[in-house]
Amino acid sequence: FELVNAEIAPARERYNEIMADPEFLEAELQKGAEKARAEAGPFMEKFASGPLYTSDAAATLLPLACA
């Protein structure tokens, strides 16, 4: 136990520091959300404008899905 406890002590200390500062935690989460949106935005635009999202594609695929 003591060996494991000593090994993870730095990570536990950092965790406790972060959890004690909700403003820091929220700022870091917001940074991550901005980064995720920047990465996902172009993909989602490309995906949303793809052939499966057009009314013609839906009209063609719907009868196949119901068969």
Side-chain angles (χ1 to χ4, degrees):
F1 170 79
E2 290 171 12
L3 179 61
V4 171
N5 194 35
E7 193 70 29
I8 65 171
R12 184 184 308 111
E13 286 178 30
R14 183 66 180 137
Y15 170 82
N16 289 335
E17 289 172 7
I18 291 170
M19 295 308 290
D21 188 354
E23 287 140 11
F24 171 78
L25 180 57
E26 183 62 29
E28 291 300 304
L29 291 171
Q30 290 300 322
K31 282 188 216 175
E34 288 174 26
K35 185 177 177 182
R37 278 192 289 276
E39 291 288 323
F43 171 78
M44 293 305 292
E45 286 176 18
K46 182 179 175 184
F47 180 77
S49 65
L52 294 178
Y53 276 81
T54 64
S55 59
D56 291 340
T60 303
L61 295 174
L62 187 57
L64 295 174
C66 295

